[in-house]
Amino acid sequence: MEDDARPAARLTVLSGPSGVGKDSVIELIRARSPWVRLSVSVTTRKMRDYEVDGVHYFFADRSEFERLIAGGQLLEWAEFAGNLYGTPRGPVEGWLREGEPVLLKIDLQGARQVRAAMPEAQLVFLAPPSVEELKRRLVGRGTDDEETIRRRLAHADEELAAEREFDVTVVNDYVERAADELVSLLGSSFLTPLRAD
Ligand code: 5GP
């Protein structure tokens, strides 16, 4: 009965408003908890200076992205601030079959699609310490042009209001603390129960 005693591998979704610090939390987890399987999304957005193709995202053009949609190769996808983002289905399903914890960093629309397709997924909302702090981070991060910042700010209120749809909220007050809390949430779904024998 050994393996049957283990709960089914759970997919965890990390979502939250743009600028809340999802990327920083993910970077810490990448460095410190290599056992966590991080899904690499496909996007049509332009690559930022510090990004590496195949690590942070797979960068694609619109027609390549549309081929992935048509071929059923994305678990979910969404348009965000004028760009397309999607989760490749193959790696996620493979890891889950092998019982490995999988973490997706996706936007609210994607989280809703995962909720509908896989109700057993754990949805974690990364919240800012305050709305003012979120807006300050969005304007200050220096990676986006004015129009992009405006679109991300407009989207932030809608994203903040979605917190109640999530199973758990983690407040990103300190990135290290938030990453530890998230990792403990991932780990807790994979504890092997004590065996009777
Ligand atoms: P950014 O351009 O700042 O890297 O990401 C913009 C937004 O797209 C973020 O909220 C991010 O979580 C979301 N995102 C990244 N990858 C995916 C994905 O595969 N699917 C969906 N639905 N959203 C994604």
Side-chain angles (χ1 to χ4, degrees), residues 14 16-18 22-23 41-42 45 48 51 57 76-78 80 85-87 105-107 109-111 141 152 159:
L14 180 68
S18 181
K22 296 189 290 288
D23 290 334
S41 298
V42 188
R45 162 166 80 57
R48 295 180 183 141
E51 289 177 325
Y57 284 106
E76 60 74 38
W77 65 273
F80 183 94
Y85 296 83
T87 303
K105 179 210 75 166
I106 59 182
D107 84 327
Q109 306 162 68
R141 73 176 173 184
R152 285 176 189 259
E159 288 184 312

Side-chain angles (χ1 to χ4, degrees), residues 26-197:
I26 294 286
E27 283 313 311
L28 266 187
I29 293 177
R30 193 192 303 284
R32 289 184 181 174
S33 309
W35 50 273
V36 176
R37 299 299 186 175
L38 294 172
S39 165
V40 181
S41 298
V42 188
T43 185
T44 62
R45 162 166 80 57
K46 265 178 49 198
M47 189 153 81
R48 295 180 183 141
D49 288 348
Y50 60 87
E51 289 177 325
V52 178
D53 194 9
V55 175
H56 299 96
Y57 284 106
F58 293 109
F59 294 91
D61 61 27
R62 245 176 204 262
S63 62
E64 287 166 338
F65 197 101
E66 280 159 7
R67 272 201 296 281
L68 294 175
I69 299 173
Q73 290 178 59
L74 299 179
L75 191 64
E76 60 74 38
W77 65 273
E79 180 145 12
F80 183 94
N83 295 303
L84 300 172
Y85 296 83
T87 303
R89 181 188 294 281
V92 171
E93 290 184 347
W95 289 325
L96 289 176
R97 265 199 306 277
E98 284 161 22
E100 309 221 40
V102 183
L103 183 58
L104 304 185
K105 179 210 75 166
I106 59 182
D107 84 327
L108 176 60
Q109 306 162 68
R112 287 180 178 138
Q113 290 177 50
V114 171
R115 169 67 97 212
M118 297 180 168
E120 69 284 9
Q122 167 174 244
L123 265 54
V124 179
F125 188 82
L126 192 66
S130 69
V131 180
E132 294 69 38
E133 174 62 16
L134 177 70
K135 296 197 166 168
R136 202 183 57 74
R137 288 182 194 174
L138 262 181
V139 173
R141 73 176 173 184
T143 51
D144 301 317
D145 59 37
E146 254 176 52
E147 170 60 11
T148 305
I149 291 173
R150 195 193 59 71
R151 293 166 89 159
R152 285 176 189 259
L153 279 173
H155 207 63
D157 289 326
E158 186 198 325
E159 288 184 312
L160 282 168
E163 180 181 351
R164 60 181 178 276
E165 298 172 39
F166 285 71
D167 299 312
V168 192
T169 293
V170 171
V171 177
N172 190 16
D173 42 8
Y174 298 100
V175 63
E176 307 222 333
R177 198 206 59 74
D180 284 350
E181 190 179 341
L182 181 59
V183 166
S184 71
L185 287 169
L186 290 169
S188 67
S189 17
F190 292 90
L191 289 178
T192 307
L194 288 175
R195 294 204 189 107
D197 53 347

